[in-house]
């Protein structure tokens, strides 16, 4: 599915201040659901359910603030290492969220987009996800990108393999491979460049999320556990973004 949002090249804004601006594309590593539950002597699935409420609040805050794209790290390719029960709970929560929130997506004119390899969740859930993507495809107020079974290193390796195959088959001169050629094969190729990446829970790392895309993104780390993240926290991150000088290595 092709996005109607034209990418904004860094050269168009290089050297400019972000003062007073709203990021076009915000991504969030939603971390801390398990710790939130443990601190309350609750099962981990309770933390994931509370985290789903934080998704709803954050999505609404993004819509209200004028953000064009919100990308959420929902399930990494490494999350399969978790217990079978927890993975099953996460799948059930996805089904529940789709059934409950599809109406909200339509009402707020939010388009759902998936990146990663969601087919690994099985035919039933994958078909429901694809149906939600199709039903919301014409919405244009916010694009909600959900990363499912996603890993950035695998994404980049996949782009490299595609270029290598093209070169092997004589369809591509290796000397012509540049940044644009790689970006054109990433899952986010038709989205605006990433402006702001937020991580909750006090961890200060990217955890294999949008590694290429984050090259010149502003990074914002907060101690708040994801289930406690709310509109005020999101707006605070936008405020911090607006105060930063974005130089893109120019000076």
């Amino acid at each position: 599915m092709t996005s109607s949002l034209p990418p904004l090249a860094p050269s168009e804004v290089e050297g400019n201040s972000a003062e007073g601006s709203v990021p076009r594309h915000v991504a969030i590593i939603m971390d801390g659901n398990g710790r939130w539950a443990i601190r309350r002597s609750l099962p981990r699935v309770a933390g994931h359910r509370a985290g789903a409420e934080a998704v709803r609040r954050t999505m609404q805050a993004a819509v209200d603030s004028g953000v064009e794209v919100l990308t959420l790290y929902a399930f990494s390719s490494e999350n399969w290492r978790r217990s079978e029960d927890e993975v099953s709970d996460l799948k059930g929560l996805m089904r529940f969220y789709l059934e409950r929130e599809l109406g909200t997506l339509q009402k707020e004119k939010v388009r759902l987009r998936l990146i990663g390899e969601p087919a690994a969740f099985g035919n039933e859930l994958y078909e429901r996800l694809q149906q939600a993507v199709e039903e919301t495809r014409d919405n244009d107020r916010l694009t909600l990108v959900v990363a499912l079974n996603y890993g950035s290193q695998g994404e980049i390796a996949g782009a490299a393999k595609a270029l290598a195959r093209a070169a092997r088959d004589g369809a591509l001169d290796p000397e012509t491979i540049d940044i644009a050629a790689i970006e054109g094969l990433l899952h986010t190729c038709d989205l605006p460049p990433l402006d702001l990446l937020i991580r909750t829970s006090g961890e200060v790392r990217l955890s294999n999320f949008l590694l290429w895309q984050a090259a010149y993104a502003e990074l914002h780390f907060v101690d708040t556990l994801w289930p406690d993240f709310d509109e005020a926290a999101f707006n605070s991150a936008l405020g911090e973004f607006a105060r930063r000088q974005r130089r893109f290595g120019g000076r």
Side-chain angles (χ1 to χ4, degrees):
M1 182 171 62
T2 301
S3 170
S4 61
L5 304 173
L8 180 64
S11 60
E12 296 181 53
V13 295
E14 186 166 350
N16 290 344
S17 168
E19 185 69 38
S21 64
V22 174
R24 295 182 71 193
H25 186 175
V26 177
I28 305 179
I29 300 174
M30 306 179 294
D31 194 20
N33 289 347
R35 275 169 282 171
W36 184 92
I38 290 170
R39 290 179 185 179
R40 290 161 175 77
S41 300
L42 297 171
R44 289 179 66 88
V45 68
H48 295 309
R49 288 171 181 161
E53 292 299 323
V55 169
R56 170 188 275 191
R57 295 192 299 267
T58 303
M59 183 187 72
Q60 188 62 57
V63 168
D64 294 341
S65 65
V67 168
E68 296 178 34
V69 179
L70 177 65
T71 299
L72 302 178
Y73 203 9
F75 193 97
S76 78
S77 53
E78 289 78 29
N79 284 159
W80 295 107
R81 301 171 187 168
R82 298 185 178 185
S83 71
E84 185 176 342
D85 286 344
E86 185 172 359
V87 171
S88 178
D89 287 338
L90 285 167
K91 289 181 181 179
L93 188 59
M94 281 185 234
R95 294 187 187 93
F96 173 76
Y97 185 84
L98 281 173
E99 293 169 359
R100 191 188 69 171
E101 296 299 329
L102 185 58
T104 301
L105 297 180
Q106 298 287 41
K107 178 183 176 182
E108 297 295 338
K109 299 188 181 302
V110 175
R111 175 175 52 184
L112 179 64
R113 166 80 182 273
L114 306 176
I115 61 172
E117 303 296 336
F121 290 110
N123 290 338
E124 179 188 359
L125 180 53
Y126 180 64
E127 289 174 4
R128 290 190 184 188
L129 288 164
Q130 289 299 331
Q131 183 179 358
V133 168
E134 182 63 27
E135 290 183 16
T136 62
R137 63 179 301 175
D138 294 327
N139 294 340
D140 57 8
R141 195 174 178 193
L142 172 75
T143 298
L144 177 64
V145 183
V146 181
L148 291 170
N149 193 27
Y150 171 87
S152 188
Q153 291 176 327
E155 175 189 28
I156 296 169
K161 287 178 183 178
L163 292 170
R165 284 193 294 267
R168 178 198 62 194
D169 296 340
L172 175 69
D173 179 356
E175 295 301 319
T176 67
I177 297 174
D178 56 11
I179 291 173
I182 297 172
E183 287 183 339
L185 293 170
L186 299 181
H187 299 181
T188 56
C189 63
D190 57 347
L191 297 172
L194 181 61
D195 293 313
L196 173 63
L197 192 153
I198 302 167
R199 179 165 188 158
T200 61
S201 87
E203 302 294 344
V204 187
R205 58 179 179 273
L206 299 184
S207 295
N208 201 19
F209 182 53
L210 299 180
L211 301 179
W212 179 285
Q213 296 85 342
Y216 280 103
E218 297 297 317
L219 306 181
H220 183 75
F221 299 99
V222 296
D223 292 333
T224 307
L225 299 177
W226 175 246
D228 293 326
F229 196 83
D230 57 15
E231 295 89 339
F234 185 80
N235 291 333
S236 177
L238 297 193
E240 174 63 25
F241 172 85
R243 288 188 291 272
R244 295 187 184 180
Q245 295 283 331
R246 306 192 74 197
R247 299 183 178 87
F248 299 96
R251 58 182 181 275

